[in-house]
Amino acid sequence: MKNIFILAISVLFAISSFSFQEGSVNVKEDHPQFSNGSYEVLQNGLQIYAFPSDTKLLHIVCYIRAGEVCGSDTKKGVASLTFYSILTSGTKNFPEDKLDSLKKDKGIEISTSMDYEWVKIEVKSFKEDYDLCLNILKDFILNANLDEESISEVKNSLKKEIVSKPDDASKKVFKTLFTLLYGDNAIESQNILPNQIEKITREEIVEFYKKFYLLSNTFIGVTTSMEAEMLIRNARNIFATTPSKSPQSCPHPDKNDNESIVTILQKVNAPVSLVGIGKKLHFPKERKIEDDFPVLDLMSVLLVSDSPSARILHALKFDRDLSENVIFNFYFSYIPSRAYFTVFFDAPAERTGFATYLAGKSFADIITNPPTEGELKDARNCIKNKLVDIVKDPQKLLYVNSEYILQGFPKDYLNKYWERILTATQSDVVDVSREYLSFTKYQYVIYGPGEKFVKEFEAFGKIIIRNAEIDLPN
């Protein structure tokens, strides 16, 4: 069974976020220019994006908005069960044995993954097999078998996987943090239990498949050594005859912002504490996301990057030696209301409060102690170095371009993005940081020996101790 992954359309250091279209980028220049690919939306709602690359290999990436969040208003696990059942049983024109034969005879590679919002199918082959690969994707979306035997097999596999991966401390912190951010109904907050998987019927799976596996819910991106217009035309010839259906929107549970809350999940005598900090980001209507987004990326590099001087890393790991691990993630869903950043780190039990204070202070310092010109230059160079890596790989370029378009950015966004990175000033960073990172309505979750640090958090706001989570020593 494939592992479920988290697709985060995010800052540079969570997913590399640079690309070019229809041509190359001279990365030696100070001002690289990104030329545009081709993008088209068919009458049935299918989105197609294409750009040529200097390789005879074919890369196709297909996103279908049919992730776990889409099943949250019906039954937990129905999205995963549907997805993996299709993979197991194949489709009417490409059953499992035929797909296996094509993989062997033609060298076609098909990899799949799933997250909270998206099903992702990636196909690699030679460009001569382009039409064949498109027809495989079309059958996956429209003609899945979903037989009872395959569904039963997948149920058993999912139940075994769930049982073999019980919640650990990090999962508890993660789920509790998202409960504070988005409520109990958020898919990140939920557990899928074996008995819930067992109760899902074939009829419910078929209903979910018909509702969400639609061309109007689908995006296809492709690159190979063919003109972009030809790549689009071939896709249009294969998909355009399929009638249109209204796209189905997936629910995105939310709740009103609360005051800052500290939740302690006690583990008596734990040697270290696990800390999670989260904040929802709201994109004001009077501001342009296209202008703010690059500066948020720049800000993120100033906070956490490959450089030891990055502020959160410096404060927690290198300067004070308060953590072995610091993970920063900025997530921007295709719906602007689903944007947030999270920080996770470990800390010595006796210094948990001080470490959490330093993490928060790093955000405040971006506003009160703005980055120097030297820091801005280093951050720009960091971003450009990532660009150098990405432009060498058409597959990475395809991922990045496709995912930006999925967020609603224009296909030529990378030109605007890079111009904004180059022109962003100290004042721009302060302005954007003040707008999105102001030190209010943060959520904190700490798993560890609360008896050693709980009093330190009284200054942060309301403190909740989850007594049910107390783990006493032997």
Side-chain angles (χ1 to χ4, degrees), residues 293-309:
F293 189 80
V295 185
L296 279 169
D297 269 5
L298 196 61
M299 174 275 297
S300 74
V301 177
L302 293 166
L303 289 171
V304 181
S305 70
D306 297 335
S307 170
S309 64

Side-chain angles (χ1 to χ4, degrees), residues 8-55:
I9 310 301
S10 54
V11 293
L12 179 61
F13 295 94
I15 290 180
S16 301
S17 301
F18 294 95
S19 181
F20 72 95
Q21 303 95 352
E22 268 189 8
S24 60
V25 176
N26 184 352
V27 295
K28 294 181 180 180
E29 296 180 357
D30 290 334
H31 302 275
Q33 293 296 309
F34 305 86
S35 56
N36 301 329
S38 293
Y39 172 76
E40 185 172 320
V41 181
L42 303 185
Q43 287 187 345
N44 55 28
L46 175 67
Q47 300 177 72
I48 306 171
Y49 169 74
F51 74 93
S53 55
D54 298 329
T55 174

Side-chain angles (χ1 to χ4, degrees), residues 113-126:
S113 50
M114 181 180 183
D115 78 341
Y116 301 129
E117 294 185 55
W118 302 96
V119 163
K120 181 180 177 182
I121 310 166
E122 183 180 351
V123 183
K124 300 177 186 178
S125 188
F126 295 98

Side-chain angles (χ1 to χ4, degrees), residues 127-174:
K127 70 176 183 180
E128 291 78 13
D129 296 322
Y130 179 43
D131 286 4
L132 171 62
C133 293
L134 289 178
N135 276 298
I136 292 173
L137 287 174
K138 181 179 180 180
D139 230 44
F140 188 100
I141 300 167
L142 302 175
N143 293 309
N145 280 326
L146 296 175
D147 59 88
E148 197 70 63
E149 182 179 351
S150 297
I151 292 171
S152 178
E153 180 183 338
V154 172
K155 279 185 178 181
N156 291 332
S157 296
L158 278 176
K159 288 187 292 184
K160 289 180 182 177
E161 185 175 1
I162 292 168
V163 171
S164 67
K165 296 180 178 179
D167 277 2
D168 56 18
S170 61
K171 289 181 182 178
K172 289 179 181 179
V173 171
F174 180 87

